[in-house]
Amino acid sequence: MNVPTLASQRISLRPFHETDMEIVKSLLTDPLATSNLPWVSATSHLNAENFYTHLMDNDPYFFMIEMKNYDLPIGFMKVSTDQSHLLDFALLEEYWHRDILIEAFQLLHPYLVEQGISELYLKVESTHTDSCDFAKRIGFLYEYSYEVKDGSTVRLYHMILIPETARFNPDMWQTHSERFIEAL
């Protein structure tokens, strides 16, 4: 699949290039950059490279986030190709609070609709208020929360992109038997 470059006046989402591996390793090993994600950051660059290879390599919905007129990526946005269509993202801390992820998602949204992706899920560590706010600001709806092995709480958000073809995904509901609704 040919992954396009999607661009706004300020940022671009582009396909991964081999030269991006160092920044991806840095993002995946940075606990702050991945603090929004419900999985633990990689413990080493080798671990990060293995993680990338197994989960993201050749993924048609893996985009590097790049500021225009700046040749280095500052983050990534990814949608899994399995039935869950799970959205993951990471952004270098110095670019937080600039609405870059919102702008990136606004670029990605029409492309996903064009590709026939009818819905998305987003899992966010509940203590990462910036990412929970991001989910709400781009239109995700809170579904439920669940605890993970380390005792932290993860929130599951859901967004329907194409109502006519969206289907309830029982796998997302059945995966977490100990789920609960938080008073948000």
Side-chain angles (χ1 to χ4, degrees):
M1 173 179 236
N2 190 12
V3 179
T5 296
L6 309 170
S8 68
Q9 289 184 2
R10 191 167 66 141
I11 67 166
S12 62
L13 296 180
R14 63 161 178 77
F16 172 83
H17 303 302
E18 288 302 317
T19 55
D20 297 330
M21 184 53 78
E22 286 307 309
I23 191 71
V24 168
K25 287 179 192 176
S26 293
L27 284 163
L28 292 176
T29 56
D30 180 352
L32 280 175
T34 58
S35 61
N36 62 296
L37 300 170
W39 36 267
V40 178
S41 58
T43 55
S44 68
H45 277 234
L46 177 60
N47 185 281
E49 188 166 353
N50 289 337
F51 181 84
Y52 169 80
T53 301
H54 287 45
L55 293 178
M56 301 175 190
D57 195 19
N58 297 318
D59 192 321
Y61 308 119
F62 181 75
F63 292 89
M64 300 304 296
I65 302 170
E66 208 172 76
M67 297 297 291
K68 289 253 180 120
N69 303 318
Y70 184 64
D71 290 338
L72 294 173
I74 60 168
F76 68 79
M77 192 165 273
K78 173 199 179 300
V79 175
S80 66
T81 55
D82 64 11
Q83 185 181 6
S84 70
H85 296 296
L86 191 62
L87 175 68
D88 287 322
F89 57 88
L91 188 66
L92 294 172
E93 183 183 15
E94 58 263 33
Y95 294 95
W96 291 6
H97 306 289
R98 297 187 191 181
D99 290 340
I100 289 170
L101 289 173
I102 291 172
E103 195 170 333
F105 186 77
Q106 288 170 341
L107 289 171
L108 186 59
H109 183 276
Y111 175 70
L112 295 174
V113 170
E114 180 183 295
Q115 296 298 305
I117 303 227
S118 58
E119 59 191 322
L120 293 175
Y121 288 90
L122 175 62
K123 294 179 180 181
V124 177
E125 174 72 42
S126 66
T127 58
H128 201 280
T129 55
D130 290 337
S131 294
C132 293
D133 182 54
F134 162 73
K136 289 183 253 180
R137 288 180 63 196
I138 62 173
F140 275 85
L141 298 176
Y142 171 72
E143 291 285 325
Y144 63 84
S145 299
Y146 61 94
E147 284 191 21
V148 291
K149 290 179 185 176
D150 69 0
S152 60
T153 300
V154 173
R155 291 182 183 156
L156 180 72
Y157 292 89
H158 182 227
M159 176 187 278
I160 295 177
L161 303 176
I162 309 171
E164 303 79 32
T165 59
R167 300 279 184 259
F168 174 70
N169 183 350
D171 293 340
M172 292 302 283
W173 187 255
Q174 294 168 354
T175 302
H176 312 105
S177 60
E178 298 296 323
R179 55 193 172 275
F180 55 93
I181 304 297
E182 291 182 75
L184 302 178

